[in-house]
Amino acid sequence: MKLKRFIGCFCMVLAAVVLATIQHNDALAAYPDKPINYIISFNPGGESDVTARLQQSHLEKILGVTVNVTHKPGGGGAVAWSEFQRTARPDGYTIIGVNIPHIIAQPMERKDTGYTTDGFELIMWFHFTPNALIVQRDGDIKTLADFIKLAKAKPKAVTVAGSGTYSANHLDALRLDKLAGIQTTYVPHTGTGPIIPALMGGHVTSTMNYTMVGVQYKDKLRTLAVAADARVAMLPDVPTFKELGYDIVGGAYRGVAVPKGTPPDIVKKLTDAFLKTTDLIAAKQREMGFEITTATGKQAIDLVARMKADYGGILSELEAQKK
Amino acid sequence: MDICLQAMGALAHPKMILLIFGGVTIGLFAGAMPGLTATMALAVLLPFTFTMTPLDGLVALGAVYMGAIYGGSFAAILVNTPGTPSSIATAFEGYPMAKQGRALEAISVATVASAIGGIAGVLFLLFLAPPLALLSIRFGPAEYFWVAMLGLTLIATLSEGSVFKGFLGGTIGIMLGTIGLSPVGGESRFTLGIPVMQGGIEMIVALIGLFVIPELYNMAALGRASLGAVSVADKEKSSFWRVAAKVFSKPGNLIRSCIIGEIIAIMPGAGGNIANLVAYNEAKRASKTPERFGTGTTEGLIASESSNNVTVAGSMVPLLTLGIPGAPPDAVILGVMLLHGLRPGIELFTTSGVLTYAFIFSMGLAAIAMVPVGLLGGRLIYRVIFRTPHFFLVPTIGLATIVGTFALRNSLSDVMIMLILGTTGYLLKQIGIASAPIVLGLILGTIAEVGYVQAILGGAAYRFPWFRLFENPLSWILIAMVVVSAAWPFLLALKRRMWSAEKVNKGGAK
Amino acid sequence: MIRNVNTDLVAGTLGLLLSLTFWSLIDPRMTHMSAVFPTAMIGIMAIASALLVIKGFSRAAERGNLFDVGSNVRVLATGLFFFGWVIAIGYLGFFVSSVLVMSLLALYLALAGRRVSPARFALWVGIVACEVAFFYLIFTRLLHVLLPEGWFF
């Protein structure tokens, strides 16, 4: 009996000492002093991954520690995000890439997403890809007016491909339907990748996709309109939906977040590092068809709130339609 | 022509040779490790290429890609575990060979077949890129559905015992594949409310579990490793020249497998993982001795390994001409090209022609480099595995499997899923449901579902949306192939029954 | 070993149970896009299973011995080792649990056929530790895969 108590005491003391040293170390050492794990919730080779790889070396230089880019794909990002909110320690050594509208739409749509939109401490949103309506270059459709005329003539026969259901692509395709008074068929695909051959081969009429598709496949595909407030730098000849009389502005944002409860000075350090990095890779990012954003702090939270209101309206309307 | 000479000049540099050999070696070991796929090896090496010139980077990645697809055959032959999904059929023949003490011969055959496949892919890319690119975008949802069906007819071929059990296994695999997010609808299915199940069962996780774990249980049960000792005579049989002569003695099989590999390679999204299975199936169908398949025939091994290496350069056809990755690893190569400001299309062959042709030639060189690297590396790996006693082999292979599965998605849940599936696979094997149809269902189920649902959606304006499945001439060709392929085993069985009946009659007459 | 089992009947019954399980898990609120394919496949699974059951009652039923290869105790123990390993990784970290489980598994499997002196076992633990360290270093340092940490590292 005595021995048991002694061992118990001993263990407690030991644990206390260990804990004290750990905390002591944390308080003493200036952040960061060990490698940072940058989680990407999508497959290697995708746009999120390529961007993270571009940021990696600059971040390492600025922060002075190794930054490991690791992938945890699955569930359209939900697997990584839910595990992150459940297990990541708020010490700034685990950061994760986040996407709008994914982190807004998924918790609204699924019962078992496992994370909440507001459960992240946002560092910043670093780029934006507006949606764009894209068709074959050599087809009959040359303008948005042509597209709408065709859709009116043949209801449901005009197909619009997009990546995912309730995604940025899907929601703007629905908006176009509503504003133009047409009936198109939205065909969800597993990503941007498989849409390109489907469009080139004429298996779908059009795609509501990101502007970068229009930039990268300029000589094979035609962009009819972009869903941004102003024209996109890499596609100067393409009008915005607004110019053509349809109030559609939308797309996907990419950003980075840490767990809730991360100390403010660490958040500050990471924010500065990402701002600097974004600046350094801006030229390359624009070339690939991204628009640079620098929404940090309150701005970043406001952006989420704004998009949440936007998507919430469409989603509830869609739900009502289903019933 | 001038461009070609310049391109060759660009490659005639010791640094390039070093990059090719280094790339092939790295790829080989990555491929041989279950869980490390070609896509992952390329993604991990991606940052290193940022500091290189575009050509150096592309050459290195091309060599890694080539080596990884080939390296998958080592694990398939020596431990019955396809190192990458491109070597599934390799395990069907290679492992029985290894059990019979013909491991070295199997490795040599795989090496020669892979090198030939690699070179064939380069030739397709050099000479037939434009027409093949046009063909590649003809594959729409309906065609994907029919290709998946064609693959599923393999179940009938694969099930050794009862066809019904094969189908049950196949549907189990398909249903496992539907767990998680539905690929078109985006809703979560069969997740039991567990967030991690939204990610579903990754095909490679199931592949590793279903192939490796039962093998480890077997080893533990028997108390010995199942690799046979290589006799002196077999060592001679595995010499490069004798094997090369043997491989070339059946050119029909080679040519057929390479063409199948190429057609599947140009289909965006489908790569070596499907090519090797279809090529194996066709080789069995064309063979004069189909009943010997599965017991260690070189024909099946050649079909699998040549077809999967065709896809390396072959899948670059739509990539370089249209910017469409023909197989998953090509997405990484596309990323590198975009980072260096190279836009796929006609300019790639004209303005930056030297670079493009040098890249294409380098893949041919990588295919040749596989021969020395593979023969040496293969012998090394064989010796290590053969010399290791079983009580070390079981934990060590277990370690490699666990690390490999974990690395795939950085997920410990995946490791648990792998173990559960593997153990279930061992139990199912007892009642005659083999692992192969389950894996097949898992690979092809998603393709079939996406094709079917998208085709139906595309036909929303029709009176009968499923009419979309029968609309195109390309679909008709595929449907015909599905029918022939599905009926074949039954025709064969009928023929055999008649033949044996005849024999019995003759016997009775005596 | 279980002798002379009607495997067709077993497989068929199992398949029917499985189809029933999946069928009961289909959420009726799912859209047609998500439900059509699994429903069809569950149907095919049920048909294949039903045919197996019918065949199981006919004269053509396949019969075979289950678990008739080697020692089943060793299979069971190896399975327990494997599952324990993965669970331990979550608590002890990759390195410690792997060295521990691998050494013990090697010892267990070796004891079936030979005697192992303590000195030899100590040597094995050393070899195993080197092996694990090799994998650990390659994955964490070269491939940047962060293996689970627990005790120590």
Side-chain angles (χ1 to χ4, degrees), chain A residues 44 53 71-73 75 78-79 110 112-113 165 185 188-189 201 203 216-217 220 284, chain B residues 43 137-140 181 184-185 188 191 198-199 322-323 339 343 409-410 454 457 468:
Chain A
R53 300 274 182 204
H71 304 99
K72 202 186 275 272
V79 171
R110 299 184 203 155
D112 50 0
T113 332
T165 313
T185 304
H189 284 64
H203 305 290
Q216 278 169 23
Y217 299 93
K220 290 275 189 305
K284 212 154 211 172
Chain B
I137 54 172
R138 294 286 295 274
F139 284 93
L181 283 197
V184 181
S188 51
T191 57
Q198 286 173 91
L322 303 171
L339 279 175
R343 278 207 311 121
R409 299 201 287 189
N410 285 291
Q454 283 180 351
L457 280 176
R468 260 299 254 252

mmCIF file of all heavy atoms in Angstrom, chain A residues 44 53 71-73 75 78-79 110 112-113 165 185 188-189 201 203 216-217 220 284, chain B residues 43 137-140 181 184-185 188 191 198-199 322-323 339 343 409-410 454 457 468:
data_model
loop_
_atom_site.group_PDB
_atom_site.id
_atom_site.type_symbol
_atom_site.label_atom_id
_atom_site.label_comp_id
_atom_site.label_asym_id
_atom_site.label_seq_id
_atom_site.Cartn_x
_atom_site.Cartn_y
_atom_site.Cartn_z
ATOM 1 N N PRO A 44 -1.684 16.180 -53.620
ATOM 2 C CA PRO A 44 -0.494 16.824 -54.168
ATOM 3 C C PRO A 44 -0.704 17.132 -55.649
ATOM 4 O O PRO A 44 -1.364 16.382 -56.354
ATOM 5 C CB PRO A 44 0.611 15.794 -53.969
ATOM 6 C CG PRO A 44 -0.060 14.509 -53.656
ATOM 7 C CD PRO A 44 -1.392 14.860 -53.071
ATOM 8 N N ARG A 53 3.602 25.156 -52.120
ATOM 9 C CA ARG A 53 5.008 24.904 -52.477
ATOM 10 C C ARG A 53 5.718 26.195 -52.844
ATOM 11 O O ARG A 53 6.902 26.369 -52.572
ATOM 12 C CB ARG A 53 5.088 23.942 -53.665
ATOM 13 C CG ARG A 53 4.455 22.614 -53.410
ATOM 14 C CD ARG A 53 5.432 21.684 -52.761
ATOM 15 N NE ARG A 53 4.829 20.374 -52.556
ATOM 16 C CZ ARG A 53 5.225 19.525 -51.642
ATOM 17 N NH1 ARG A 53 6.223 19.836 -50.843
ATOM 18 N NH2 ARG A 53 4.653 18.354 -51.509
ATOM 19 N N HIS A 71 0.159 16.532 -46.827
ATOM 20 C CA HIS A 71 -1.174 16.414 -47.428
ATOM 21 C C HIS A 71 -2.052 15.487 -46.621
ATOM 22 O O HIS A 71 -1.604 14.448 -46.174
ATOM 23 C CB HIS A 71 -1.067 15.874 -48.850
ATOM 24 C CG HIS A 71 -0.192 16.699 -49.703
ATOM 25 N ND1 HIS A 71 1.110 16.370 -49.954
ATOM 26 C CD2 HIS A 71 -0.410 17.865 -50.333
ATOM 27 C CE1 HIS A 71 1.652 17.291 -50.706
ATOM 28 N NE2 HIS A 71 0.752 18.212 -50.957
ATOM 29 N N LYS A 72 -3.294 15.866 -46.460
ATOM 30 C CA LYS A 72 -4.256 14.996 -45.805
ATOM 31 C C LYS A 72 -5.558 15.118 -46.585
ATOM 32 O O LYS A 72 -6.516 15.728 -46.128
ATOM 33 C CB LYS A 72 -4.426 15.426 -44.358
ATOM 34 C CG LYS A 72 -4.952 14.340 -43.451
ATOM 35 C CD LYS A 72 -5.234 14.889 -42.082
ATOM 36 C CE LYS A 72 -4.035 14.914 -41.185
ATOM 37 N NZ LYS A 72 -3.810 13.705 -40.443
ATOM 38 N N PRO A 73 -5.587 14.572 -47.812
ATOM 39 C CA PRO A 73 -6.770 14.756 -48.655
ATOM 40 C C PRO A 73 -7.928 13.880 -48.207
ATOM 41 O O PRO A 73 -7.729 12.905 -47.488
ATOM 42 C CB PRO A 73 -6.286 14.344 -50.040
ATOM 43 C CG PRO A 73 -5.146 13.424 -49.798
ATOM 44 C CD PRO A 73 -4.543 13.803 -48.482
ATOM 45 N N GLY A 75 -12.655 13.792 -48.514
ATOM 46 C CA GLY A 75 -13.897 14.454 -48.149
ATOM 47 C C GLY A 75 -13.987 15.892 -48.616
ATOM 48 O O GLY A 75 -14.636 16.694 -47.966
ATOM 49 N N ALA A 78 -12.697 18.062 -45.901
ATOM 50 C CA ALA A 78 -13.307 17.948 -44.571
ATOM 51 C C ALA A 78 -12.519 17.054 -43.622
ATOM 52 O O ALA A 78 -12.487 17.295 -42.424
ATOM 53 C CB ALA A 78 -14.738 17.437 -44.695
ATOM 54 N N VAL A 79 -11.859 16.019 -44.154
ATOM 55 C CA VAL A 79 -11.123 15.106 -43.278
ATOM 56 C C VAL A 79 -10.028 15.859 -42.529
ATOM 57 O O VAL A 79 -9.894 15.760 -41.311
ATOM 58 C CB VAL A 79 -10.518 13.946 -44.098
ATOM 59 C CG1 VAL A 79 -9.581 13.135 -43.237
ATOM 60 C CG2 VAL A 79 -11.619 13.065 -44.653
ATOM 61 N N ARG A 110 -23.688 19.155 -44.737
ATOM 62 C CA ARG A 110 -23.526 17.780 -44.254
ATOM 63 C C ARG A 110 -23.804 17.701 -42.766
ATOM 64 O O ARG A 110 -23.564 18.651 -42.036
ATOM 65 C CB ARG A 110 -22.088 17.305 -44.493
ATOM 66 C CG ARG A 110 -21.708 17.297 -45.949
ATOM 67 C CD ARG A 110 -20.316 16.722 -46.086
ATOM 68 N NE ARG A 110 -19.706 17.169 -47.334
ATOM 69 C CZ ARG A 110 -18.391 17.248 -47.533
ATOM 70 N NH1 ARG A 110 -17.561 16.907 -46.572
ATOM 71 N NH2 ARG A 110 -17.918 17.638 -48.683
ATOM 72 N N ASP A 112 -22.334 15.378 -40.808
ATOM 73 C CA ASP A 112 -21.185 14.851 -40.068
ATOM 74 C C ASP A 112 -19.860 15.452 -40.527
ATOM 75 O O ASP A 112 -18.850 14.778 -40.624
ATOM 76 C CB ASP A 112 -21.136 13.328 -40.221
ATOM 77 C CG ASP A 112 -21.243 12.918 -41.680
ATOM 78 O OD1 ASP A 112 -21.347 13.817 -42.541
ATOM 79 O OD2 ASP A 112 -21.205 11.716 -41.963
ATOM 80 N N THR A 113 -19.885 16.740 -40.835
ATOM 81 C CA THR A 113 -18.659 17.372 -41.332
ATOM 82 C C THR A 113 -17.541 17.276 -40.310
ATOM 83 O O THR A 113 -16.387 17.112 -40.679
ATOM 84 C CB THR A 113 -18.910 18.855 -41.638
ATOM 85 O OG1 THR A 113 -20.258 19.010 -41.974
ATOM 86 C CG2 THR A 113 -18.037 19.348 -42.733
ATOM 87 N N THR A 165 -20.506 19.601 -55.792
ATOM 88 C CA THR A 165 -21.867 20.060 -55.547
ATOM 89 C C THR A 165 -21.825 21.088 -54.426
ATOM 90 O O THR A 165 -21.042 20.952 -53.496
ATOM 91 C CB THR A 165 -22.738 18.869 -55.109
ATOM 92 O OG1 THR A 165 -22.483 17.801 -55.996
ATOM 93 C CG2 THR A 165 -24.203 19.207 -55.167
ATOM 94 N N THR A 185 -28.495 22.326 -67.084
ATOM 95 C CA THR A 185 -28.251 21.159 -66.242
ATOM 96 C C THR A 185 -26.838 21.242 -65.703
ATOM 97 O O THR A 185 -25.877 21.276 -66.469
ATOM 98 C CB THR A 185 -28.407 19.862 -67.048
ATOM 99 O OG1 THR A 185 -29.702 19.854 -67.636
ATOM 100 C CG2 THR A 185 -28.225 18.653 -66.157
ATOM 101 N N PRO A 188 -21.929 17.925 -61.868
ATOM 102 C CA PRO A 188 -20.781 18.016 -60.958
ATOM 103 C C PRO A 188 -19.658 17.072 -61.391
ATOM 104 O O PRO A 188 -19.917 15.949 -61.823
ATOM 105 C CB PRO A 188 -21.349 17.571 -59.611
ATOM 106 C CG PRO A 188 -22.821 17.450 -59.787
ATOM 107 C CD PRO A 188 -23.084 17.272 -61.230
ATOM 108 N N HIS A 189 -18.430 17.520 -61.291
ATOM 109 C CA HIS A 189 -17.256 16.687 -61.564
ATOM 110 C C HIS A 189 -16.416 16.614 -60.302
ATOM 111 O O HIS A 189 -16.602 17.418 -59.385
ATOM 112 C CB HIS A 189 -16.437 17.259 -62.715
ATOM 113 C CG HIS A 189 -17.045 17.009 -64.053
ATOM 114 N ND1 HIS A 189 -18.268 17.530 -64.426
ATOM 115 C CD2 HIS A 189 -16.610 16.290 -65.117
ATOM 116 C CE1 HIS A 189 -18.553 17.146 -65.647
ATOM 117 N NE2 HIS A 189 -17.565 16.389 -66.099
ATOM 118 N N GLY A 201 -13.914 17.833 -75.520
ATOM 119 C CA GLY A 201 -14.501 16.770 -76.318
ATOM 120 C C GLY A 201 -15.984 16.972 -76.575
ATOM 121 O O GLY A 201 -16.614 16.138 -77.220
ATOM 122 N N HIS A 203 -18.454 16.903 -74.428
ATOM 123 C CA HIS A 203 -19.352 16.100 -73.606
ATOM 124 C C HIS A 203 -20.204 16.969 -72.693
ATOM 125 O O HIS A 203 -21.221 16.535 -72.196
ATOM 126 C CB HIS A 203 -18.559 15.080 -72.802
ATOM 127 C CG HIS A 203 -17.685 14.221 -73.662
ATOM 128 N ND1 HIS A 203 -18.189 13.283 -74.517
ATOM 129 C CD2 HIS A 203 -16.343 14.209 -73.872
ATOM 130 C CE1 HIS A 203 -17.199 12.700 -75.187
ATOM 131 N NE2 HIS A 203 -16.068 13.261 -74.806
ATOM 132 N N GLN A 216 -5.261 29.354 -68.597
ATOM 133 C CA GLN A 216 -4.335 28.282 -68.972
ATOM 134 C C GLN A 216 -4.670 27.637 -70.302
ATOM 135 O O GLN A 216 -3.798 27.134 -70.987
ATOM 136 C CB GLN A 216 -4.324 27.215 -67.875
ATOM 137 C CG GLN A 216 -3.410 27.590 -66.732
ATOM 138 C CD GLN A 216 -3.609 26.679 -65.543
ATOM 139 O OE1 GLN A 216 -4.087 25.564 -65.674
ATOM 140 N NE2 GLN A 216 -3.241 27.163 -64.379
ATOM 141 N N TYR A 217 -5.943 27.609 -70.671
ATOM 142 C CA TYR A 217 -6.329 26.932 -71.919
ATOM 143 C C TYR A 217 -6.874 27.936 -72.929
ATOM 144 O O TYR A 217 -7.819 27.660 -73.649
ATOM 145 C CB TYR A 217 -7.359 25.842 -71.616
ATOM 146 C CG TYR A 217 -6.824 24.782 -70.690
ATOM 147 C CD1 TYR A 217 -7.007 24.875 -69.321
ATOM 148 C CD2 TYR A 217 -6.105 23.705 -71.187
ATOM 149 C CE1 TYR A 217 -6.488 23.923 -68.462
ATOM 150 C CE2 TYR A 217 -5.590 22.742 -70.334
ATOM 151 C CZ TYR A 217 -5.786 22.859 -68.975
ATOM 152 O OH TYR A 217 -5.272 21.909 -68.129
ATOM 153 N N LYS A 220 -7.708 26.937 -76.568
ATOM 154 C CA LYS A 220 -8.700 25.888 -76.838
ATOM 155 C C LYS A 220 -10.087 26.280 -76.322
ATOM 156 O O LYS A 220 -11.089 25.783 -76.799
ATOM 157 C CB LYS A 220 -8.282 24.575 -76.152
ATOM 158 C CG LYS A 220 -7.063 23.923 -76.787
ATOM 159 C CD LYS A 220 -7.481 23.062 -77.953
ATOM 160 C CE LYS A 220 -6.361 22.213 -78.497
ATOM 161 N NZ LYS A 220 -5.162 22.958 -78.875
ATOM 162 N N LYS A 284 4.079 35.666 -59.943
ATOM 163 C CA LYS A 284 3.912 34.304 -60.424
ATOM 164 C C LYS A 284 2.452 33.849 -60.298
ATOM 165 O O LYS A 284 1.916 33.165 -61.161
ATOM 166 C CB LYS A 284 4.824 33.373 -59.616
ATOM 167 C CG LYS A 284 5.304 32.222 -60.462
ATOM 168 C CD LYS A 284 6.618 31.657 -60.006
ATOM 169 C CE LYS A 284 7.359 31.128 -61.223
ATOM 170 N NZ LYS A 284 8.707 30.717 -60.948
ATOM 171 N N ALA B 43 5.407 14.300 -56.247
ATOM 172 C CA ALA B 43 5.009 15.471 -55.468
ATOM 173 C C ALA B 43 6.070 15.820 -54.430
ATOM 174 O O ALA B 43 6.364 16.987 -54.195
ATOM 175 C CB ALA B 43 3.668 15.220 -54.786
ATOM 176 N N ILE B 137 -9.966 12.928 -76.170
ATOM 177 C CA ILE B 137 -11.118 13.717 -75.695
ATOM 178 C C ILE B 137 -12.440 13.154 -76.198
ATOM 179 O O ILE B 137 -13.504 13.627 -75.817
ATOM 180 C CB ILE B 137 -10.998 15.221 -76.049
ATOM 181 C CG1 ILE B 137 -10.762 15.403 -77.535
ATOM 182 C CG2 ILE B 137 -9.918 15.880 -75.235
ATOM 183 C CD1 ILE B 137 -10.830 16.862 -77.949
ATOM 184 N N ARG B 138 -12.399 12.118 -77.015
ATOM 185 C CA ARG B 138 -13.656 11.481 -77.424
ATOM 186 C C ARG B 138 -14.262 10.657 -76.288
ATOM 187 O O ARG B 138 -15.424 10.318 -76.310
ATOM 188 C CB ARG B 138 -13.415 10.548 -78.631
ATOM 189 C CG ARG B 138 -13.005 11.280 -79.895
ATOM 190 C CD ARG B 138 -14.191 12.006 -80.509
ATOM 191 N NE ARG B 138 -15.226 11.086 -80.975
ATOM 192 C CZ ARG B 138 -15.221 10.527 -82.177
ATOM 193 N NH1 ARG B 138 -14.250 10.777 -83.030
ATOM 194 N NH2 ARG B 138 -16.196 9.719 -82.533
ATOM 195 N N PHE B 139 -13.438 10.317 -75.308
ATOM 196 C CA PHE B 139 -13.948 9.534 -74.187
ATOM 197 C C PHE B 139 -14.790 10.416 -73.269
ATOM 198 O O PHE B 139 -14.269 11.289 -72.595
ATOM 199 C CB PHE B 139 -12.793 8.924 -73.394
ATOM 200 C CG PHE B 139 -12.160 7.739 -74.054
ATOM 201 C CD1 PHE B 139 -11.067 7.880 -74.878
ATOM 202 C CD2 PHE B 139 -12.682 6.472 -73.856
ATOM 203 C CE1 PHE B 139 -10.489 6.780 -75.494
ATOM 204 C CE2 PHE B 139 -12.119 5.374 -74.463
ATOM 205 C CZ PHE B 139 -11.011 5.518 -75.286
ATOM 206 N N GLY B 140 -16.081 10.213 -73.284
ATOM 207 C CA GLY B 140 -16.973 10.973 -72.416
ATOM 208 C C GLY B 140 -17.469 10.091 -71.290
ATOM 209 O O GLY B 140 -17.004 8.953 -71.139
ATOM 210 N N LEU B 181 -17.705 10.522 -49.536
ATOM 211 C CA LEU B 181 -18.462 11.470 -50.349
ATOM 212 C C LEU B 181 -18.846 10.843 -51.667
ATOM 213 O O LEU B 181 -18.030 10.195 -52.305
ATOM 214 C CB LEU B 181 -17.601 12.694 -50.642
ATOM 215 C CG LEU B 181 -17.433 13.691 -49.528
ATOM 216 C CD1 LEU B 181 -16.940 14.995 -50.109
ATOM 217 C CD2 LEU B 181 -18.731 13.915 -48.796
ATOM 218 N N VAL B 184 -20.260 12.416 -57.495
ATOM 219 C CA VAL B 184 -20.983 13.413 -58.283
ATOM 220 C C VAL B 184 -21.892 14.256 -57.402
ATOM 221 O O VAL B 184 -21.874 15.475 -57.463
ATOM 222 C CB VAL B 184 -21.785 12.736 -59.415
ATOM 223 C CG1 VAL B 184 -22.507 13.780 -60.239
ATOM 224 C CG2 VAL B 184 -20.860 11.926 -60.300
ATOM 225 N N GLY B 185 -22.671 13.600 -56.560
ATOM 226 C CA GLY B 185 -23.626 14.336 -55.733
ATOM 227 C C GLY B 185 -22.977 15.106 -54.596
ATOM 228 O O GLY B 185 -23.535 16.066 -54.088
ATOM 229 N N SER B 188 -22.432 12.814 -48.222
ATOM 230 C CA SER B 188 -21.702 11.739 -47.554
ATOM 231 C C SER B 188 -22.610 10.518 -47.425
ATOM 232 O O SER B 188 -23.797 10.632 -47.129
ATOM 233 C CB SER B 188 -21.186 12.196 -46.195
ATOM 234 O OG SER B 188 -22.215 12.764 -45.431
ATOM 235 N N THR B 191 -21.227 6.734 -43.861
ATOM 236 C CA THR B 191 -20.101 7.128 -43.006
ATOM 237 C C THR B 191 -20.373 6.810 -41.540
ATOM 238 O O THR B 191 -19.487 6.972 -40.720
ATOM 239 C CB THR B 191 -19.828 8.635 -43.101
ATOM 240 O OG1 THR B 191 -21.032 9.314 -42.735
ATOM 241 C CG2 THR B 191 -19.436 9.039 -44.494
ATOM 242 N N GLN B 198 -15.685 10.495 -44.158
ATOM 243 C CA GLN B 198 -15.972 11.305 -45.341
ATOM 244 C C GLN B 198 -14.896 11.110 -46.389
ATOM 245 O O GLN B 198 -15.127 11.281 -47.579
ATOM 246 C CB GLN B 198 -16.003 12.790 -44.981
ATOM 247 C CG GLN B 198 -17.219 13.223 -44.227
ATOM 248 C CD GLN B 198 -17.076 14.650 -43.771
ATOM 249 O OE1 GLN B 198 -17.470 15.573 -44.447
ATOM 250 N NE2 GLN B 198 -16.486 14.852 -42.618
ATOM 251 N N GLY B 199 -13.686 10.812 -45.931
ATOM 252 C CA GLY B 199 -12.570 10.612 -46.851
ATOM 253 C C GLY B 199 -12.658 9.271 -47.548
ATOM 254 O O GLY B 199 -11.909 9.005 -48.479
ATOM 255 N N LEU B 322 -2.671 18.993 -75.152
ATOM 256 C CA LEU B 322 -3.886 19.700 -74.742
ATOM 257 C C LEU B 322 -3.813 20.238 -73.322
ATOM 258 O O LEU B 322 -4.686 20.982 -72.897
ATOM 259 C CB LEU B 322 -5.093 18.755 -74.831
ATOM 260 C CG LEU B 322 -5.372 18.107 -76.179
ATOM 261 C CD1 LEU B 322 -6.432 17.046 -76.045
ATOM 262 C CD2 LEU B 322 -5.815 19.172 -77.164
ATOM 263 N N GLY B 323 -2.787 19.853 -72.578
ATOM 264 C CA GLY B 323 -2.718 20.287 -71.181
ATOM 265 C C GLY B 323 -3.609 19.467 -70.281
ATOM 266 O O GLY B 323 -3.987 19.917 -69.203
ATOM 267 N N LEU B 339 4.655 26.133 -63.600
ATOM 268 C CA LEU B 339 5.522 26.956 -62.758
ATOM 269 C C LEU B 339 6.648 27.580 -63.570
ATOM 270 O O LEU B 339 7.101 28.664 -63.285
ATOM 271 C CB LEU B 339 6.125 26.106 -61.636
ATOM 272 C CG LEU B 339 5.232 25.875 -60.432
ATOM 273 C CD1 LEU B 339 5.896 24.931 -59.465
ATOM 274 C CD2 LEU B 339 4.927 27.201 -59.758
ATOM 275 N N ARG B 343 3.329 26.536 -71.357
ATOM 276 C CA ARG B 343 1.934 26.196 -71.523
ATOM 277 C C ARG B 343 1.770 25.093 -72.550
ATOM 278 O O ARG B 343 2.276 25.204 -73.658
ATOM 279 C CB ARG B 343 1.125 27.422 -71.926
ATOM 280 C CG ARG B 343 0.775 28.260 -70.690
ATOM 281 C CD ARG B 343 -0.480 29.063 -70.864
ATOM 282 N NE ARG B 343 -0.481 29.794 -72.112
ATOM 283 C CZ ARG B 343 -1.407 29.631 -73.039
ATOM 284 N NH1 ARG B 343 -2.367 28.770 -72.874
ATOM 285 N NH2 ARG B 343 -1.347 30.343 -74.139
ATOM 286 N N ARG B 409 -1.879 9.574 -46.725
ATOM 287 C CA ARG B 409 -2.726 10.726 -46.436
ATOM 288 C C ARG B 409 -2.450 11.260 -45.037
ATOM 289 O O ARG B 409 -3.272 11.960 -44.473
ATOM 290 C CB ARG B 409 -4.210 10.349 -46.532
ATOM 291 C CG ARG B 409 -4.615 9.864 -47.902
ATOM 292 C CD ARG B 409 -6.102 9.982 -48.126
ATOM 293 N NE ARG B 409 -6.875 8.993 -47.389
ATOM 294 C CZ ARG B 409 -8.177 8.802 -47.577
ATOM 295 N NH1 ARG B 409 -8.809 9.530 -48.465
ATOM 296 N NH2 ARG B 409 -8.831 7.897 -46.899
ATOM 297 N N ASN B 410 -1.289 10.911 -44.462
ATOM 298 C CA ASN B 410 -0.942 11.335 -43.109
ATOM 299 C C ASN B 410 -2.052 10.988 -42.132
ATOM 300 O O ASN B 410 -2.482 11.824 -41.344
ATOM 301 C CB ASN B 410 -0.691 12.842 -43.069
ATOM 302 C CG ASN B 410 0.638 13.179 -43.679
ATOM 303 O OD1 ASN B 410 1.678 12.858 -43.119
ATOM 304 N ND2 ASN B 410 0.615 13.788 -44.845
ATOM 305 N N GLN B 454 -22.977 10.962 -64.590
ATOM 306 C CA GLN B 454 -22.775 12.130 -65.449
ATOM 307 C C GLN B 454 -23.465 11.945 -66.797
ATOM 308 O O GLN B 454 -24.010 12.901 -67.360
ATOM 309 C CB GLN B 454 -21.286 12.398 -65.650
ATOM 310 C CG GLN B 454 -20.675 13.071 -64.429
ATOM 311 C CD GLN B 454 -19.207 13.346 -64.593
ATOM 312 O OE1 GLN B 454 -18.584 12.898 -65.549
ATOM 313 N NE2 GLN B 454 -18.638 14.079 -63.656
ATOM 314 N N LEU B 457 -27.078 12.652 -66.249
ATOM 315 C CA LEU B 457 -27.313 14.087 -66.078
ATOM 316 C C LEU B 457 -27.233 14.804 -67.423
ATOM 317 O O LEU B 457 -28.037 15.678 -67.722
ATOM 318 C CB LEU B 457 -26.272 14.680 -65.128
ATOM 319 C CG LEU B 457 -26.512 14.480 -63.642
ATOM 320 C CD1 LEU B 457 -25.347 15.026 -62.857
ATOM 321 C CD2 LEU B 457 -27.787 15.188 -63.222
ATOM 322 N N ARG B 468 -28.243 8.202 -73.270
ATOM 323 C CA ARG B 468 -26.910 8.786 -73.434
ATOM 324 C C ARG B 468 -25.810 7.719 -73.432
ATOM 325 O O ARG B 468 -24.744 7.889 -74.015
ATOM 326 C CB ARG B 468 -26.612 9.739 -72.268
ATOM 327 C CG ARG B 468 -26.801 11.218 -72.544
ATOM 328 C CD ARG B 468 -25.923 11.705 -73.628
ATOM 329 N NE ARG B 468 -24.801 12.503 -73.210
ATOM 330 C CZ ARG B 468 -24.724 13.815 -73.403
ATOM 331 N NH1 ARG B 468 -25.695 14.488 -73.933
ATOM 332 N NH2 ARG B 468 -23.637 14.459 -73.060
#
